[in-house]
Amino acid sequence: MKLKRSRCKVIFCFLLFGMMLGCGGESGNGSSSSSTGQDSSKTITVDSGSQMGSFRGLYDGVNAGPYSYKWDKDLSLAADEIGLTWFRVHDMAGGGVPSPGDIPQIYGDTGAGDITDPANYDFSTIDPLIAEAVNKDYNVLYRLGRSWSYPPLDSGTDPVRWAEAAHRIIMHFNEGWNNGHYYNIRYWEIFNEPDLSVFWAGTREQWFAFFDTVFSILKGYYPDLKIGCCGFAGIDREWRTAFLEYCANKGLDPDFISWHLYNYGIPEIFMTEGEAWQIEMDKHSLTGENLLTEWGMFGSGTHPENANASGAAFYAAALTYMQDSPIDMAFRYRIDGNEITTPDDGGFNMINPDPGLTLKIPTCSFKAFKWLSENTPVRINADGSNTAAGYAVIAGRSPDDRMVQVIIGDLRSEHTGYNLMIRDLPWGTATYTYERYVINDSLCLELVESGEGSGVSTFQTKEDLAPPAVHLIKLYTQ
């Protein structure tokens, strides 16, 4: 039998010794060709007959959106293309400026007048933004507190009044208070990065006591909601240990512990930091979820990796490694940007502010993970990842056994390509379609090759992949 593959033309490749071999083609970053000279291809083996559980979202959470207050644009179509389903209400107007949803914008950290009087609250700016998310069936995690735009919260702030203001925000969105709604928003995050002096002006011990009061009051009102803390920046590791010890000693068990991390060059660090948080949580018998509520390569500034294939390969690796971490949810920072006026200028926005709201190249890896998780949610064994080189391999199978997909990302290895073998195709020897998609500096998960195969239950191909780039291999049958 034979495997028929096409790029710009149809090429026939014959099965030799029961294995399918790839054909030559165009060369270049992320494209396919037969290697010349010394072969430094990576050997990758996927076992379609295995099962490792299901994929977790992790790619599907983001800060701000789906309506961009900063850009005054509806980003929901692009959000759906990426597969975003969770939005964190934080920095809705961009970093460094007062944002809708902040307690200082709705009521005030200390407030004036009767804290129970609806007239002292202003939900006019945040209401339409939450409505955009909820009415389009997105999930919301609401950060109670402040964006990076105010003087740090004074340690003398009355935690009871602050908690009561937060209580009325929850009442507004979940109980209809003050011309409100019945959204049943489940996740409520108390504050943001109290371990940074730009947010909290007091000592860590003062913060622990402040949180203790606020958390206890809110859990008293809402025992069934997920109420947690606190989006730690994590720069001072002693904060983590001291806070978890405080919770254990006081008998507090937040419904989740949230933390933030930005790092370029070490894509496995999100996995290892998630493990470190979980070890500490387990050590102190805390049973809440482990949430990464801000993450990315860079937290500010413009960087070429925010707009090129290096960023795409980095995120492909990070998302792959995070699947093996204890992290329950992750929220990229962020869907839009600050003063972004031109496409691909290196800002941290996931989407370009062009008329088409196109995806930035690094965001294309999130789209690849959407395809993997939605179309082939049964994770199967795939050998070949190497965290030291930022090399990532991850694969899945559809529940009806009609599709297998493999993502291969290379950030900085010395390999020039890969030899991929997929064993035990779930449809046996039946005819199937083969497709290969590429992410590089100019392609965003674009189809570059397709063909058909049949006759054996093993698929093998040899492809060039010059890092940094990402490939997605799709096999499917009717």
Side-chain angles (χ1 to χ4, degrees):
M1 64 69 62
K2 53 193 173 186
L3 170 68
K4 183 174 71 175
R5 311 171 74 173
S6 62
R7 295 184 183 93
C8 297
K9 58 184 179 179
V10 175
I11 304 173
F12 291 92
C13 301
F14 292 90
L15 184 69
L16 299 177
F17 304 107
M19 292 186 175
M20 301 178 186
L21 301 177
C23 301
E26 306 88 359
S27 63
N29 185 14
S31 66
S32 171
S33 73
S34 297
S35 298
T36 59
Q38 184 176 2
D39 187 358
S40 61
S41 295
K42 175 81 169 178
T43 298
I44 299 171
T45 304
V46 175
D47 182 2
S48 297
S50 64
Q51 184 166 332
M52 301 174 63
S54 300
F55 293 111
R56 294 174 297 131
L58 300 182
Y59 67 91
D60 64 352
V62 74
N63 281 259
Y67 193 91
S68 172
Y69 180 83
K70 184 69 177 181
W71 293 349
D72 193 22
K73 293 178 181 290
D74 182 3
L75 307 182
S76 58
L77 290 179
D80 291 344
E81 183 180 359
I82 303 167
L84 300 176
T85 63
W86 279 91
F87 291 89
R88 180 181 182 238
V89 179
H90 175 69
D91 278 358
M92 299 294 278
V97 294
S99 287
D102 293 348
I103 286 182
Q105 295 299 301
I106 294 174
Y107 176 75
D109 289 315
T110 56
D114 184 358
I115 201 166
T116 66
D117 186 353
N120 291 328
Y121 294 78
D122 182 2
F123 294 96
S124 60
T125 307
I126 188 60
D127 264 347
L129 300 178
I130 301 297
E132 279 286 326
V134 174
N135 292 339
K136 292 179 178 178
D137 295 325
Y138 298 119
N139 301 298
V140 172
L141 182 148
Y142 198 113
R143 188 268 302 126
L144 296 163
R146 61 204 11 239
S147 300
W148 182 22
S149 52
Y150 313 92
L153 185 63
D154 189 274
S155 59
T157 300
D158 183 351
V160 175
R161 286 186 64 83
W162 199 94
E164 289 298 337
H167 173 209
R168 270 125 192 113
I169 293 174
I170 299 175
M171 288 172 60
H172 177 77
F173 288 112
N174 282 0
E175 300 173 35
W177 182 76
N178 198 359
N179 298 313
H181 316 278
Y182 297 89
Y183 291 151
N184 192 30
I185 296 173
R186 304 284 305 160
Y187 283 78
W188 298 87
E189 183 181 34
I190 297 174
F191 218 70
N192 182 75
E193 298 181 348
D195 49 339
L196 294 185
S197 60
V198 296
F199 288 100
W200 175 251
T203 66
R204 68 187 186 199
E205 289 76 18
Q206 288 172 320
W207 168 255
F208 300 163
F210 185 91
F211 170 78
D212 189 340
T213 299
V214 173
F215 176 74
S216 298
I217 289 173
L218 294 181
K219 282 303 289 185
Y221 286 125
Y222 302 109
D224 295 328
L225 293 184
K226 300 280 190 177
I227 300 174
C229 182
C230 306
F232 290 107
I235 296 173
D236 184 351
R237 298 294 184 89
E238 292 183 3
W239 262 81
R240 173 171 67 197
T241 300
F243 176 73
L244 298 180
E245 287 179 352
Y246 179 92
C247 288
N249 292 335
K250 291 288 187 175
L252 302 177
D253 193 7
D255 294 302
F256 60 85
I257 301 295
S258 57
W259 51 283
H260 301 163
L261 182 61
Y262 296 91
N263 184 283
Y264 175 72
I266 312 176
E268 72 271 21
I269 197 170
F270 304 98
M271 173 185 69
T272 57
E273 279 297 294
E275 291 170 345
W277 274 100
Q278 194 64 51
I279 288 170
E280 289 284 341
M281 291 168 66
D282 292 344
K283 175 183 176 181
H284 294 95
S285 301
L286 300 180
T287 62
E289 296 175 38
N290 184 335
L291 304 190
L292 176 55
T293 52
E294 285 186 28
W295 76 286
M297 293 184 291
F298 309 97
S300 62
T302 58
H303 307 269
E305 294 85 0
N306 281 330
N308 63 25
S310 290
F314 177 90
Y315 282 121
L319 289 167
T320 295
Y321 306 151
M322 285 164 63
Q323 286 292 325
D324 295 318
S325 79
I327 299 170
D328 293 297
M329 288 194 288
F331 295 76
R332 255 290 308 274
Y333 191 92
R334 52 182 284 145
I335 191 170
D336 57 5
N338 287 337
E339 301 299 334
I340 307 299
T341 57
T342 58
D344 285 344
D345 70 346
F348 44 61
N349 45 303
M350 297 182 74
I351 298 170
N352 285 313
D354 53 29
L357 297 174
T358 55
L359 306 187
K360 297 182 76 170
I361 290 297
T363 307
C364 302
S365 288
F366 289 77
K367 180 177 178 179
F369 270 81
K370 176 197 175 183
W371 289 12
L372 181 74
S373 299
E374 291 188 358
N375 299 328
T376 50
V378 180
R379 188 178 178 186
I380 56 180
N381 186 66
D383 296 330
S385 289
N386 179 351
T387 57
Y391 204 99
V393 182
I394 193 166
R397 184 184 73 236
S398 64
D400 63 3
D401 290 338
R402 293 181 179 273
M403 182 181 294
V404 172
Q405 292 186 112
V406 184
I407 292 176
I408 303 168
D410 188 356
L411 177 61
R412 55 171 178 265
S413 83
E414 296 181 356
H415 298 294
T416 58
Y418 56 86
N419 292 304
L420 170 65
M421 177 185 291
I422 305 177
R423 295 192 177 114
D424 296 325
L425 298 177
W427 48 82
T429 60
T431 300
Y432 63 91
T433 299
Y434 158 85
E435 295 174 350
R436 184 166 59 87
Y437 297 80
V438 168
I439 304 171
N440 59 25
D441 283 335
S442 59
L443 299 177
C444 178
L445 203 61
E446 298 295 332
L447 178 65
V448 299
E449 180 182 16
S450 64
E452 291 184 350
S454 64
V456 294
S457 60
T458 297
F459 170 85
Q460 181 164 313
T461 187
K462 180 176 182 178
E463 307 290 350
D464 277 6
L465 191 163
V470 180
H471 287 193
L472 184 145
I473 308 296
K474 178 192 293 187
L475 308 180
Y476 61 95
T477 187
Q478 300 298 323

